[in-house]
Every structure is written in C-alpha cells, then in structure tokens.
Amino acid sequence: QVQLVESGGGLVQAGGSLRLSCAASGRAVSSYAVGWFRQAPEKEREFVAAIRWSGRSTNYADSVKGRFTISRDNAQNTVYLQMDSLKPEDTAVYSCAAGERGISSIRYEYKYWGQGTQVTVSS
C-alpha cells in the first residue's frame, strides 16, 4: 500500500509559477513510478508528467514541455512538479499517482492516487 499527499496548489496569475509536492509513504515506494495528472471542470483527467523513483527517466505531455519540470527527492520520498509560465488553461485539480508500469501516460496504469490539489491561473 502506498499513500500519496499533494500540496502546493493555489491561485497564481498567468505567467507565474507554482511548485507542487507529492509526499509518498508506504511499502516499497522506491519501486514505483510517480505521475502527475490534472482534471479541469467537465474535462477528462489528463497526463501531465511522470518520473521513475529509481532512475532519471521522465515523460511529459506536449502541452507542458518546456514549462513544467518533474523531479524527486528520494531521501524525502517526495516528487515535485515545478510549473512555470503558467497559463489559464493549466487551471485544474492536480493529482499524483504511483504505479508499477513505468513512466506511463495512461491513468489506468497507476494504482495509487492522492486526493489532489487545486491550481487556478488567472488571466
């Protein structure tokens, strides 16, 4: 069992930055990949970025490449999502998830999910 807790969401103006955190605890955390997904009102949940705990492999959605950076701190069992040059269309609830299928962009391949944190970008 893996528990995930997100933090760091909030309200920011377009062009601004936020850093989200995903604190993980539980059994064999280091064997999982961690992904960030987001869901805007009345839209499907979509992939944002993913990273392996044990390596440096990352994966990004095209919509965030060059603006968002995913990283991890193994000592703190925490994964971060640095979001720069934010746009109003980035507004969503952001959730982190852990899975054993690598840095997949497919939400169904993630087994454990956090509760999410709201990110709102004003124009």
Side-chain angles (χ1 to χ4, degrees):
Q1 190 81 2
V2 175
Q3 294 80 41
L4 303 168
V5 179
E6 304 95 336
S7 61
L11 173 64
V12 64
Q13 289 188 330
S17 298
L18 280 175
R19 189 177 78 158
L20 305 184
S21 299
C22 173
S25 61
R27 181 170 176 272
V29 168
S30 61
S31 66
Y32 289 87
V34 173
W36 283 97
F37 289 77
R38 65 186 183 186
Q39 187 168 20
E42 300 181 358
K43 290 190 175 181
E44 292 287 319
R45 182 174 285 179
E46 65 174 1
F47 171 76
V48 177
I51 189 168
R52 292 186 188 276
W53 276 112
S54 58
R56 297 187 179 275
S57 298
T58 58
N59 185 15
Y60 292 93
D62 288 342
S63 59
V64 306
K65 278 181 183 175
R67 300 189 299 123
F68 290 11
T69 303
I70 190 169
S71 63
R72 81 222 185 279
D73 182 335
N74 289 342
Q76 299 293 325
N77 278 349
T78 300
V79 171
Y80 302 100
L81 184 68
Q82 177 66 41
M83 306 187 295
D84 299 319
S85 303
L86 282 161
K87 305 174 182 179
E89 51 263 45
D90 294 318
T91 295
V93 174
Y94 284 71
S95 300
C96 63
E100 298 175 292
R101 304 294 290 270
I103 47 175
S104 172
S105 62
I106 302 172
R107 59 181 174 167
Y108 302 110
E109 295 189 345
Y110 290 83
K111 185 174 182 180
Y112 302 105
W113 290 81
Q115 292 298 307
T117 185
Q118 176 70 46
V119 171
T120 303
V121 184
S122 63
S123 56

PDB file of all heavy atoms in Angstrom, residues 3-5 21-26 28-30 34 53 72-80:
ATOM      1  N   GLN A   3       0.653   5.557   0.160  1.00  0.00           N
ATOM      2  CA  GLN A   3      -0.166   6.736   0.425  1.00  0.00           C
ATOM      3  C   GLN A   3       0.511   7.955  -0.202  1.00  0.00           C
ATOM      4  O   GLN A   3       1.729   8.119  -0.095  1.00  0.00           O
ATOM      5  CB  GLN A   3      -0.345   6.977   1.927  1.00  0.00           C
ATOM      6  CG  GLN A   3      -1.150   5.908   2.638  1.00  0.00           C
ATOM      7  CD  GLN A   3      -0.326   4.665   2.942  1.00  0.00           C
ATOM      8  OE1 GLN A   3       0.822   4.751   3.334  1.00  0.00           O
ATOM      9  NE2 GLN A   3      -0.925   3.496   2.763  1.00  0.00           N
ATOM     10  N   LEU A   4      -0.289   8.786  -0.827  1.00  0.00           N
ATOM     11  CA  LEU A   4       0.219   9.969  -1.519  1.00  0.00           C
ATOM     12  C   LEU A   4      -0.545  11.204  -1.045  1.00  0.00           C
ATOM     13  O   LEU A   4      -1.778  11.181  -0.974  1.00  0.00           O
ATOM     14  CB  LEU A   4       0.036   9.815  -3.028  1.00  0.00           C
ATOM     15  CG  LEU A   4       0.679   8.586  -3.675  1.00  0.00           C
ATOM     16  CD1 LEU A   4       0.186   8.410  -5.095  1.00  0.00           C
ATOM     17  CD2 LEU A   4       2.181   8.689  -3.630  1.00  0.00           C
ATOM     18  N   VAL A   5       0.196  12.271  -0.743  1.00  0.00           N
ATOM     19  CA  VAL A   5      -0.422  13.515  -0.300  1.00  0.00           C
ATOM     20  C   VAL A   5       0.171  14.666  -1.098  1.00  0.00           C
ATOM     21  O   VAL A   5       1.388  14.893  -1.052  1.00  0.00           O
ATOM     22  CB  VAL A   5      -0.204  13.739   1.204  1.00  0.00           C
ATOM     23  CG1 VAL A   5      -0.838  15.072   1.624  1.00  0.00           C
ATOM     24  CG2 VAL A   5      -0.791  12.595   2.024  1.00  0.00           C
ATOM     25  N   SER A  21       3.994  19.464  -4.555  1.00  0.00           N
ATOM     26  CA  SER A  21       4.718  18.377  -3.907  1.00  0.00           C
ATOM     27  C   SER A  21       3.804  17.172  -3.768  1.00  0.00           C
ATOM     28  O   SER A  21       2.598  17.317  -3.541  1.00  0.00           O
ATOM     29  CB  SER A  21       5.201  18.795  -2.519  1.00  0.00           C
ATOM     30  OG  SER A  21       6.084  19.886  -2.589  1.00  0.00           O
ATOM     31  N   CYS A  22       4.407  15.989  -3.871  1.00  0.00           N
ATOM     32  CA  CYS A  22       3.684  14.736  -3.681  1.00  0.00           C
ATOM     33  C   CYS A  22       4.506  13.903  -2.698  1.00  0.00           C
ATOM     34  O   CYS A  22       5.556  13.359  -3.061  1.00  0.00           O
ATOM     35  CB  CYS A  22       3.519  14.013  -5.000  1.00  0.00           C
ATOM     36  SG  CYS A  22       2.807  12.356  -4.876  1.00  0.00           S
ATOM     37  N   ALA A  23       4.037  13.848  -1.455  1.00  0.00           N
ATOM     38  CA  ALA A  23       4.737  13.096  -0.422  1.00  0.00           C
ATOM     39  C   ALA A  23       4.211  11.675  -0.406  1.00  0.00           C
ATOM     40  O   ALA A  23       3.005  11.455  -0.282  1.00  0.00           O
ATOM     41  CB  ALA A  23       4.535  13.753   0.929  1.00  0.00           C
ATOM     42  N   ALA A  24       5.129  10.721  -0.511  1.00  0.00           N
ATOM     43  CA  ALA A  24       4.744   9.314  -0.586  1.00  0.00           C
ATOM     44  C   ALA A  24       5.191   8.569   0.657  1.00  0.00           C
ATOM     45  O   ALA A  24       6.255   8.839   1.217  1.00  0.00           O
ATOM     46  CB  ALA A  24       5.357   8.674  -1.817  1.00  0.00           C
ATOM     47  N   SER A  25       4.378   7.633   1.080  1.00  0.00           N
ATOM     48  CA  SER A  25       4.745   6.772   2.192  1.00  0.00           C
ATOM     49  C   SER A  25       4.162   5.391   1.941  1.00  0.00           C
ATOM     50  O   SER A  25       3.217   5.226   1.176  1.00  0.00           O
ATOM     51  CB  SER A  25       4.223   7.333   3.516  1.00  0.00           C
ATOM     52  OG  SER A  25       2.818   7.419   3.487  1.00  0.00           O
ATOM     53  N   GLY A  26       4.771   4.426   2.633  1.00  0.00           N
ATOM     54  CA  GLY A  26       4.256   3.078   2.476  1.00  0.00           C
ATOM     55  C   GLY A  26       5.315   2.112   1.980  1.00  0.00           C
ATOM     56  O   GLY A  26       6.484   2.438   1.836  1.00  0.00           O
ATOM     57  N   ALA A  28       7.667  -0.192  -0.103  1.00  0.00           N
ATOM     58  CA  ALA A  28       8.406  -0.266  -1.371  1.00  0.00           C
ATOM     59  C   ALA A  28       8.127   0.920  -2.292  1.00  0.00           C
ATOM     60  O   ALA A  28       7.967   0.756  -3.500  1.00  0.00           O
ATOM     61  CB  ALA A  28       8.091  -1.565  -2.101  1.00  0.00           C
ATOM     62  N   VAL A  29       8.082   2.115  -1.712  1.00  0.00           N
ATOM     63  CA  VAL A  29       7.809   3.311  -2.512  1.00  0.00           C
ATOM     64  C   VAL A  29       8.794   3.455  -3.663  1.00  0.00           C
ATOM     65  O   VAL A  29       8.429   3.870  -4.766  1.00  0.00           O
ATOM     66  CB  VAL A  29       7.844   4.562  -1.597  1.00  0.00           C
ATOM     67  CG1 VAL A  29       7.857   5.821  -2.434  1.00  0.00           C
ATOM     68  CG2 VAL A  29       6.649   4.562  -0.666  1.00  0.00           C
ATOM     69  N   SER A  30      10.030   3.108  -3.423  1.00  0.00           N
ATOM     70  CA  SER A  30      11.066   3.327  -4.427  1.00  0.00           C
ATOM     71  C   SER A  30      10.923   2.426  -5.643  1.00  0.00           C
ATOM     72  O   SER A  30      11.614   2.612  -6.641  1.00  0.00           O
ATOM     73  CB  SER A  30      12.449   3.132  -3.804  1.00  0.00           C
ATOM     74  OG  SER A  30      12.566   1.805  -3.333  1.00  0.00           O
ATOM     75  N   VAL A  34       6.051   7.617 -10.434  1.00  0.00           N
ATOM     76  CA  VAL A  34       5.046   8.585  -9.973  1.00  0.00           C
ATOM     77  C   VAL A  34       4.693   9.520 -11.113  1.00  0.00           C
ATOM     78  O   VAL A  34       5.571  10.047 -11.801  1.00  0.00           O
ATOM     79  CB  VAL A  34       5.566   9.393  -8.775  1.00  0.00           C
ATOM     80  CG1 VAL A  34       4.588  10.515  -8.422  1.00  0.00           C
ATOM     81  CG2 VAL A  34       5.773   8.477  -7.575  1.00  0.00           C
ATOM     82  N   TRP A  53      11.106   6.524  -9.624  1.00  0.00           N
ATOM     83  CA  TRP A  53      11.759   6.783  -8.345  1.00  0.00           C
ATOM     84  C   TRP A  53      13.237   6.428  -8.407  1.00  0.00           C
ATOM     85  O   TRP A  53      14.076   7.109  -7.859  1.00  0.00           O
ATOM     86  CB  TRP A  53      11.132   5.927  -7.231  1.00  0.00           C
ATOM     87  CG  TRP A  53       9.922   6.500  -6.619  1.00  0.00           C
ATOM     88  CD1 TRP A  53       8.661   6.024  -6.717  1.00  0.00           C
ATOM     89  CD2 TRP A  53       9.833   7.668  -5.797  1.00  0.00           C
ATOM     90  NE1 TRP A  53       7.805   6.818  -6.020  1.00  0.00           N
ATOM     91  CE2 TRP A  53       8.481   7.839  -5.449  1.00  0.00           C
ATOM     92  CE3 TRP A  53      10.779   8.590  -5.322  1.00  0.00           C
ATOM     93  CZ2 TRP A  53       8.046   8.882  -4.641  1.00  0.00           C
ATOM     94  CZ3 TRP A  53      10.337   9.638  -4.519  1.00  0.00           C
ATOM     95  CH2 TRP A  53       8.990   9.773  -4.194  1.00  0.00           C
ATOM     96  N   ARG A  72      12.446  14.491  -8.181  1.00  0.00           N
ATOM     97  CA  ARG A  72      12.166  13.715  -6.976  1.00  0.00           C
ATOM     98  C   ARG A  72      13.281  13.896  -5.965  1.00  0.00           C
ATOM     99  O   ARG A  72      14.418  14.197  -6.319  1.00  0.00           O
ATOM    100  CB  ARG A  72      12.018  12.230  -7.325  1.00  0.00           C
ATOM    101  CG  ARG A  72      13.342  11.503  -7.487  1.00  0.00           C
ATOM    102  CD  ARG A  72      13.344  10.579  -8.652  1.00  0.00           C
ATOM    103  NE  ARG A  72      14.576   9.814  -8.712  1.00  0.00           N
ATOM    104  CZ  ARG A  72      15.710  10.276  -9.215  1.00  0.00           C
ATOM    105  NH1 ARG A  72      15.776  11.501  -9.688  1.00  0.00           N
ATOM    106  NH2 ARG A  72      16.797   9.521  -9.229  1.00  0.00           N
ATOM    107  N   ASP A  73      12.932  13.718  -4.711  1.00  0.00           N
ATOM    108  CA  ASP A  73      13.896  13.717  -3.613  1.00  0.00           C
ATOM    109  C   ASP A  73      13.717  12.385  -2.914  1.00  0.00           C
ATOM    110  O   ASP A  73      12.774  12.210  -2.127  1.00  0.00           O
ATOM    111  CB  ASP A  73      13.632  14.893  -2.678  1.00  0.00           C
ATOM    112  CG  ASP A  73      14.636  14.976  -1.540  1.00  0.00           C
ATOM    113  OD1 ASP A  73      15.227  13.938  -1.179  1.00  0.00           O
ATOM    114  OD2 ASP A  73      14.812  16.079  -1.013  1.00  0.00           O
ATOM    115  N   ASN A  74      14.596  11.455  -3.194  1.00  0.00           N
ATOM    116  CA  ASN A  74      14.431  10.110  -2.638  1.00  0.00           C
ATOM    117  C   ASN A  74      14.535  10.102  -1.118  1.00  0.00           C
ATOM    118  O   ASN A  74      13.863   9.320  -0.457  1.00  0.00           O
ATOM    119  CB  ASN A  74      15.462   9.166  -3.247  1.00  0.00           C
ATOM    120  CG  ASN A  74      15.167   8.854  -4.690  1.00  0.00           C
ATOM    121  OD1 ASN A  74      14.053   9.063  -5.156  1.00  0.00           O
ATOM    122  ND2 ASN A  74      16.138   8.373  -5.419  1.00  0.00           N
ATOM    123  N   ALA A  75      15.373  10.953  -0.576  1.00  0.00           N
ATOM    124  CA  ALA A  75      15.543  10.985   0.878  1.00  0.00           C
ATOM    125  C   ALA A  75      14.262  11.416   1.575  1.00  0.00           C
ATOM    126  O   ALA A  75      13.958  10.982   2.682  1.00  0.00           O
ATOM    127  CB  ALA A  75      16.690  11.915   1.249  1.00  0.00           C
ATOM    128  N   GLN A  76      13.495  12.286   0.904  1.00  0.00           N
ATOM    129  CA  GLN A  76      12.239  12.781   1.478  1.00  0.00           C
ATOM    130  C   GLN A  76      11.027  12.037   0.944  1.00  0.00           C
ATOM    131  O   GLN A  76       9.895  12.341   1.331  1.00  0.00           O
ATOM    132  CB  GLN A  76      12.079  14.277   1.153  1.00  0.00           C
ATOM    133  CG  GLN A  76      13.170  15.155   1.718  1.00  0.00           C
ATOM    134  CD  GLN A  76      13.116  15.204   3.221  1.00  0.00           C
ATOM    135  OE1 GLN A  76      12.035  15.180   3.812  1.00  0.00           O
ATOM    136  NE2 GLN A  76      14.281  15.248   3.853  1.00  0.00           N
ATOM    137  N   ASN A  77      11.243  11.068   0.058  1.00  0.00           N
ATOM    138  CA  ASN A  77      10.127  10.341  -0.582  1.00  0.00           C
ATOM    139  C   ASN A  77       9.105  11.313  -1.161  1.00  0.00           C
ATOM    140  O   ASN A  77       7.887  11.139  -0.986  1.00  0.00           O
ATOM    141  CB  ASN A  77       9.445   9.402   0.410  1.00  0.00           C
ATOM    142  CG  ASN A  77      10.195   8.092   0.560  1.00  0.00           C
ATOM    143  OD1 ASN A  77      11.107   7.802  -0.211  1.00  0.00           O
ATOM    144  ND2 ASN A  77       9.822   7.329   1.568  1.00  0.00           N
ATOM    145  N   THR A  78       9.606  12.310  -1.839  1.00  0.00           N
ATOM    146  CA  THR A  78       8.732  13.354  -2.373  1.00  0.00           C
ATOM    147  C   THR A  78       9.044  13.596  -3.847  1.00  0.00           C
ATOM    148  O   THR A  78      10.208  13.618  -4.243  1.00  0.00           O
ATOM    149  CB  THR A  78       8.912  14.666  -1.594  1.00  0.00           C
ATOM    150  OG1 THR A  78       8.587  14.438  -0.218  1.00  0.00           O
ATOM    151  CG2 THR A  78       7.988  15.757  -2.127  1.00  0.00           C
ATOM    152  N   VAL A  79       7.989  13.762  -4.618  1.00  0.00           N
ATOM    153  CA  VAL A  79       8.102  14.127  -6.032  1.00  0.00           C
ATOM    154  C   VAL A  79       7.542  15.538  -6.192  1.00  0.00           C
ATOM    155  O   VAL A  79       6.515  15.878  -5.606  1.00  0.00           O
ATOM    156  CB  VAL A  79       7.339  13.135  -6.924  1.00  0.00           C
ATOM    157  CG1 VAL A  79       7.283  13.635  -8.364  1.00  0.00           C
ATOM    158  CG2 VAL A  79       8.000  11.764  -6.870  1.00  0.00           C
ATOM    159  N   TYR A  80       8.244  16.346  -6.980  1.00  0.00           N
ATOM    160  CA  TYR A  80       7.852  17.737  -7.184  1.00  0.00           C
ATOM    161  C   TYR A  80       7.433  17.975  -8.631  1.00  0.00           C
ATOM    162  O   TYR A  80       7.927  17.317  -9.547  1.00  0.00           O
ATOM    163  CB  TYR A  80       9.011  18.671  -6.848  1.00  0.00           C
ATOM    164  CG  TYR A  80       9.514  18.524  -5.438  1.00  0.00           C
ATOM    165  CD1 TYR A  80      10.657  17.783  -5.159  1.00  0.00           C
ATOM    166  CD2 TYR A  80       8.830  19.126  -4.376  1.00  0.00           C
ATOM    167  CE1 TYR A  80      11.118  17.644  -3.861  1.00  0.00           C
ATOM    168  CE2 TYR A  80       9.283  18.986  -3.081  1.00  0.00           C
ATOM    169  CZ  TYR A  80      10.433  18.241  -2.830  1.00  0.00           C
ATOM    170  OH  TYR A  80      10.881  18.103  -1.541  1.00  0.00           O
TER     171      TYR A  80
END
